[in-house]
């Protein structure tokens, strides 16, 4: 095969590979808390709000003024000591952190804050809910707003932790984890969020799977507006972007490298190959 023909073949191979990568990046994510997930457990609606910015790595928080930002972090896995340090440091410098996610994540954050607010069990409310007893409608200390929490857990504030949200007197704690009320399980108002003052800022922990996820954001936009109080919103994606597919989506859809950039890069590489080899 002539060299010029091989250069053309390489071009089309690169073009096909790039097209495949771009096409894959344009599909919706299925990863919980991803800003590219349009499903109920995603954060695409949150990321689409005016002025919201994505944080790809918690070390990048050093580039923001904490006093003028609120950081929202939803996670599946427990924090590492370094990650907990970034969140605490952000709050201590005047920032606001709102955290929610799996039981393992919220417990690890509370432990890192030294408050030891023990998690008792899942809270359900057959009366005050958003159409399902697992979507608990709770009162908060923030501007008199209410919040709809998806699969919240009850916590016991200890030390510096202060109660920040409560379920209704009709709610119960599902101690045996069967998803329904069993005789003997506690009935009554439960604490479903705590706040911990840290230096000049605050960390608010909702032990719940969803607070600003797509499925409940429309209920909780007023709560976000109250807490943010004019601050710009940052969405933590540092855990999500450990997944190579999610990072690729961000590189292309997040305008770090647009499809046009990819096409131009391929064209440039092919042009160089042609002039170096194809003309001889």
């Amino acid at each position: 095969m002539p060299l010029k023909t091989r250069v053309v073949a390489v071009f089309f191979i690169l073009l096909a590979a790039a097209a495949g990568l771009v096409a894959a990046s344009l599909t919706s994510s299925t990863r919980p808390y991803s800003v590219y997930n349009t499903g109920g457990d995603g954060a695409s609606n949150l990321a689409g709000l005016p002025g919201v910015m994505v944080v790809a790595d918690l070390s990048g928080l050093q580039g923001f003024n904490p006093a003028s930002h609120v950081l929202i972090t939803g996670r599946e896995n427990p924090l590492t000591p370094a990650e907990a340090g970034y969140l605490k440091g952000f709050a201590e410098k005047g920032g606001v952190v709102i955290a929610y996610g799996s039981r393992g994540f919220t417990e690890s954050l509370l432990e890192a804050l030294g408050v030891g607010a023990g998690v008792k069990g899942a809270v359900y409310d057959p009366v005050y809910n958003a159409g399902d007893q697992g979507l608990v409608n709770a009162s908060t200390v923030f501007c008199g707003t209410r919040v709809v929490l998806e699969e919240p857990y009850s916590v016991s504030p200890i030390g510096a932790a202060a109660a920040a949200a409560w379920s209704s007197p009709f709610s119960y704690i599902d101690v045996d984890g069967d998803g329904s009320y069993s005789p003997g399980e506690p009935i009554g108002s439960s604490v479903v969020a705590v706040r911990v003052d840290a230096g000049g800022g605050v960390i608010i922990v909702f032990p719940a799977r969803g607070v600003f996820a797509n499925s409940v954001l429309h209920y909780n936009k007023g709560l976000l507006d109250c807490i943010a109080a004019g601050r710009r919103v940052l969405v933590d994606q540092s855990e999500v972007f450990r997944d190579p597919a999610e990072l690729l989506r961000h590189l292309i859809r997040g305008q770090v490298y647009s499809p046009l950039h990819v096409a131009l890069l391929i064209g440039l590489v092919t042009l160089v190959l042609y002039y170096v080899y194809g003309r001889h």
Side-chain angles (χ1 to χ4, degrees), residues 55-58 73 75 83 235-242:
V55 175
D57 192 297
L58 289 179
T73 177
R75 287 172 165 252
E83 290 170 333
V235 181
D236 170 29
Q237 292 285 280
S238 57
E239 180 186 66
V240 171
F241 289 167
R242 291 174 190 163

Side-chain angles (χ1 to χ4, degrees), residues 50-69:
V52 172
M53 299 180 65
V54 170
V55 175
D57 192 297
L58 289 179
S59 63
L61 290 175
Q62 298 173 2
F64 297 95
N65 176 14
S68 58
H69 290 85

Side-chain angles (χ1 to χ4, degrees), residues 76-108:
E76 293 186 278
N77 299 305
L79 291 167
T80 65
E83 290 170 333
Y86 284 126
L87 296 182
K88 291 169 62 178
F90 183 80
E92 288 170 352
K93 294 176 182 177
V96 175
V97 177
I98 305 174
Y100 67 96
S102 71
R103 179 170 180 170
F105 163 56
T106 53
E107 283 188 320
S108 71

Side-chain angles (χ1 to χ4, degrees), residues 144-155:
T145 59
R146 300 188 67 84
V147 60
V148 173
L149 302 176
E150 184 177 3
E151 301 179 15
Y153 281 82
S154 174
V155 294

Side-chain angles (χ1 to χ4, degrees), residues 251-264:
L251 291 176
I252 295 178
R253 295 172 63 177
Q255 300 304 307
V256 178
Y257 298 104
S258 70
L260 177 60
H261 292 150
V262 175
L264 289 175

